[in-house]
Amino acid sequence: FAESEDRELIEAAERLYVREKGWVDWRAREGLAERLPRMREFARGLAWLRANEPERHTRLARAVRRYRRRLALLGAGDADVPPRYGALRVARFITRQGLVLGLGFPLGVLGGALWYPVYRLPRLALTLVRLDYEAVATYKLVTAVLATPLVYAFWLWVAWDFAGTPGVGVAAPVLPVLGLVALAWTGRWRRAQEDARLFLRVLLHPRQRDRLAAQRAALVAEFDAVARDLAASDAAAARSMPVAGA
């Protein structure tokens, strides 16, 4: 729904806008389903700006790219940098993440060990096949999808070999649950690491955080101005349309 060169700009613009407005938590990672309607609105606004005020579009695009580069220097990943880290917020983060990761660790490790071949086989297969960069992700996905039932069948066979039919009856529902727990635990662990590294970088580079906050406020003000101009343009176009039956 947007020109290819605008796609990264739209994603970055929507992400920083909703956080500055307080609609989404600073470190939240939303799914595409939640973001897509907002991204469509940004795409519409930027398309209008490109068509009607190309120089303004270029300036805005450059400003967003500068913001993304500064964000990358702090290692913010897919989320954003909070304007400040309060002591209570940090304490809640440590407590919550520590409890969840600690309690989930045994099941996460067990599930990761049982389903490790599904993670590893696509990477081993890539060492045997030369592919274009664009095809790597698809190849890994297809290999993982094919490997999953094979690994599942293997562990069911092991359960049957050790405990017969009752072992299979237990393993059949438990194996998928352990795999999902391992995925959830690994994702949370990676996000916790990213958040912790970001927190330390912000402590060491507070000026970068302040510059991001200033850039973000300026960009949001410009996005709001574009939205107002687009609404005025739509209203003017509606007034100029002939009335049926006139």
Side-chain angles (χ1 to χ4, degrees):
F1 55 82
E3 296 186 36
S4 58
E5 59 266 31
D6 271 349
R7 288 175 185 169
E8 290 185 3
L9 170 62
I10 291 165
E11 290 184 10
E14 181 272 338
R15 189 178 291 124
L16 71 89
Y17 186 87
V18 297
R19 284 163 176 78
E20 180 71 11
K21 289 289 188 179
W23 300 347
V24 175
D25 187 71
W26 291 97
R27 299 300 296 154
R29 283 84 167 174
E30 290 188 294
L32 183 59
E34 293 82 9
R35 299 184 64 203
L36 192 58
R38 299 192 300 258
M39 290 170 63
R40 283 177 174 151
E41 289 301 311
F42 272 88
R44 180 169 174 265
L46 288 171
W48 176 86
L49 197 63
R50 180 191 289 276
N52 293 276
E53 299 186 45
E55 292 183 359
R56 187 180 176 192
H57 176 279
T58 300
R59 289 196 303 270
L60 185 57
R62 287 174 179 169
V64 172
R65 292 189 185 102
R66 285 196 298 270
Y67 182 85
R68 291 182 70 236
R69 285 195 295 269
R70 180 160 279 140
L71 205 62
L73 288 175
L74 285 174
D78 291 335
D80 211 321
V81 178
R84 64 184 181 86
Y85 282 94
L88 182 60
R89 177 176 183 160
V90 173
R92 282 202 306 263
F93 171 82
I94 294 173
T95 302
R96 182 174 63 252
Q97 298 295 345
L99 283 174
V100 173
L101 290 172
L103 292 173
F105 178 76
L107 293 178
V109 170
L110 178 58
L114 292 173
W115 289 100
Y116 181 74
V118 176
Y119 167 82
R120 189 61 184 166
L121 282 174
R123 287 161 176 77
L124 289 175
L126 283 175
T127 63
L128 304 176
V129 180
R130 290 187 177 182
L131 297 172
D132 294 333
Y133 177 78
E134 294 79 6
V136 169
T138 302
Y139 185 82
K140 288 169 67 175
L141 176 62
V142 171
T143 306
V145 169
L146 294 175
T148 298
L150 296 177
V151 172
Y152 184 62
F154 170 78
W155 287 121
L156 290 181
W157 175 80
V158 171
W160 178 84
D161 191 52
F162 274 87
T165 303
V168 174
V170 172
V174 169
L175 281 168
V177 172
L178 288 175
L180 293 173
V181 170
L183 285 174
W185 190 92
T186 302
R188 182 174 285 271
W189 170 246
R190 288 174 178 168
R191 290 194 296 272
Q193 286 181 307
E194 180 186 305
D195 288 344
R197 286 194 296 267
L198 176 63
F199 174 69
L200 293 175
R201 290 191 182 106
V202 168
L203 287 182
L204 294 174
H205 305 283
R207 290 185 179 179
Q208 290 280 41
R209 178 198 58 199
D210 296 340
R211 288 170 181 166
L212 280 170
Q215 282 182 281
R216 191 167 51 238
L219 284 168
V220 166
E222 181 63 19
F223 294 145
D224 285 337
V226 172
R228 288 192 298 270
D229 293 345
L230 175 58
S233 175
D234 288 344
R239 287 194 300 270
S240 66
M241 291 179 63
V243 178

